[in-house]
Amino acid sequence: MTEKPVMAGKPDGLFSPFILNGLEIPNRIAMAPMTRSHSPGGVPGQDVAAYYKRRVAGGCGLIITEGTTVDHEVASNDPKVPQFHGRDALEGWRGVVEGVHEAGGLIMPQLWHVGIMRRQEQAVNPEYQSAAPSGLFKPGKRVADPMSDAEISKVIDAFARGAAEARKLGFDGVEIHGAHGYLIDQFFWEGTNERDDVYGGDAVGRTRFAAGIVSAIRREVGDDYPLILRFSQWKQQDFAAKLAPSPESLEAFLAPLSAAGVDMFHCSTRRFWEPEFDGSSLNLAGWTKKLSGKPTMTVGSVGLDNEFVAGYRGEGAQATGLDTLLERFEQGEFDMVAVGRAILVDAEWPNKIRNERFDELRNFTTEALATLS
């Protein structure tokens, strides 16, 4: 029999409100963005709205949607991934926003461009070459031509238009996907960015594309609209990759992004409890908050004992207590917590944590995914 998780600490702090650029979020738990591919033709339907509404009813303080692609010919890798442009898709998202708000929740879209991770022959618009700063899938593997300055400007404009549409539709803010080896992260990473112009060079130069997106969004939505940037050290192409191998390099990386107008950094790790640098127990979110002075959101196997890559090997994960998370939160290491797989298989996860119904927490298994709704 599997031993049920227990917690010595009280989870009350996770259920205190947090204000992000004027937006009052009722608690510190966000639903992490997780790709579903349940939007045929790129249009989210009523089932998508119902999916998010269930997580609001389950106690999530903030919904961050699955990645939704911006208006660029090669932004998407999958015709069933929702897009954030075009009349039908935007009307679909209007229904999602209205549903979440009717349930009393808050929601932000995660604006996304997959870049060179796109499988050209299987993707939307297969006649177009995929986009990448230097045409590199990973170090030494060139599969496309480098993006031109004109193409870079088009993508920056596409993100800005997407954010403007989000505000018009009534979303409560936006998140930019700058992690996991996708397009923005391909500019961040020296392994895929060999440009010698203003968008390349050192770590600061490699932030210029993302900073340009943030600045363009700010011009469209104003200063009073919450803007989150998700970033990661690791890449799908290389789990051991490091954008910033030291606190000093991380500080240099964060500075231009903060100055451009990021309100919160969503710091993606595979295991939130792992220290980011030697000599300190701080994780990536902790270091980011310390060095940037900005609020941060942590993520990475929260509530589970096995990280997500194990799922690709058919391995499940057992539900766990949150004492380590609570200790770090109470020490001020981060301000919010994004929860992925635990909420994916259990829409009631936040309510169960809040009410200390630990014996009801669900494990992440193939069987649990089969009953997902």
Side-chain angles (χ1 to χ4, degrees), residues 31 59 107 155 160 263 274 324 330 360 369:
M31 181 179 184
I107 184 169
V155 174
D263 290 312
E274 291 185 343
T324 299
E330 288 163 3
E360 298 178 27
L369 281 175

Side-chain angles (χ1 to χ4, degrees), residues 181-196:
Y182 295 114
L183 183 62
I184 293 173
D185 199 20
Q186 290 157 26
F187 274 86
F188 287 155
W189 186 27
E190 64 181 348
T192 47
N193 183 350
E194 296 182 344
R195 300 178 73 95
D196 57 8

Side-chain angles (χ1 to χ4, degrees), residues 15 48 55 71 102 104 130 132 136 138 156 161 173 288 321 338 343 362 371 373:
F15 296 93
V48 176
R55 273 72 193 174
D71 187 12
E102 285 168 5
S130 298
L136 292 165
K138 62 181 181 179
I156 290 173
R161 288 196 307 275
T288 297
I343 287 178
R362 300 183 70 187
T371 62
S373 63

Side-chain angles (χ1 to χ4, degrees), residues 205-278:
R206 295 195 301 273
T207 67
R208 192 162 282 116
F209 175 65
I213 289 172
V214 174
S215 296
I217 287 175
R218 279 284 171 232
R219 289 193 294 271
E220 290 290 333
V221 303
D223 293 332
D224 62 343
Y225 195 58
L227 175 56
I228 301 172
L229 175 67
R230 192 181 218 205
F231 80 99
S232 64
Q233 296 267 38
W234 65 272
K235 324 292 163 203
Q236 294 176 75
Q237 302 96 315
D238 182 354
F239 287 144
K242 290 275 191 183
L243 289 179
S246 67
E248 293 76 18
S249 57
L250 181 61
E251 185 173 25
F253 167 81
L254 295 168
L257 301 169
S258 296
V262 171
D263 290 312
M264 171 181 272
F265 288 102
H266 183 175
C267 307
S268 181
T269 57
R270 292 163 62 195
R271 308 170 189 88
F272 79 87
W273 57 86
E274 291 185 343
E276 191 57 39
F277 302 117
D278 292 340

